Short mmCIF file of all heavy atoms in Angstrom, two decimals:
data_model
loop_
_atom_site.label_atom_id
_atom_site.label_comp_id
_atom_site.label_asym_id
_atom_site.label_seq_id
_atom_site.Cartn_x
_atom_site.Cartn_y
_atom_site.Cartn_z
N GLY Z 399 42.68 75.57 11.74
CA GLY Z 399 41.78 76.29 12.63
C GLY Z 399 41.33 75.47 13.80
O GLY Z 399 40.37 75.81 14.50
N TYR Z 425 38.67 47.30 16.68
CA TYR Z 425 39.71 47.71 17.61
C TYR Z 425 40.26 49.08 17.24
O TYR Z 425 40.49 49.94 18.10
CB TYR Z 425 40.82 46.65 17.62
CG TYR Z 425 41.94 46.99 18.54
CD1 TYR Z 425 41.71 47.15 19.90
CD2 TYR Z 425 43.24 47.15 18.06
CE1 TYR Z 425 42.74 47.48 20.76
CE2 TYR Z 425 44.27 47.47 18.90
CZ TYR Z 425 44.03 47.63 20.26
OH TYR Z 425 45.04 47.95 21.10
N LEU Z 498 1.40 6.73 13.40
CA LEU Z 498 0.61 7.84 13.92
C LEU Z 498 -0.59 8.12 13.01
O LEU Z 498 -1.62 8.60 13.46
CB LEU Z 498 1.48 9.10 14.05
CG LEU Z 498 2.61 8.99 15.06
CD1 LEU Z 498 3.50 10.23 15.00
CD2 LEU Z 498 2.06 8.82 16.47
#
Side-chain angles (χ1 to χ4, degrees):
Chain Z
Y425 180 60
L498 295 174

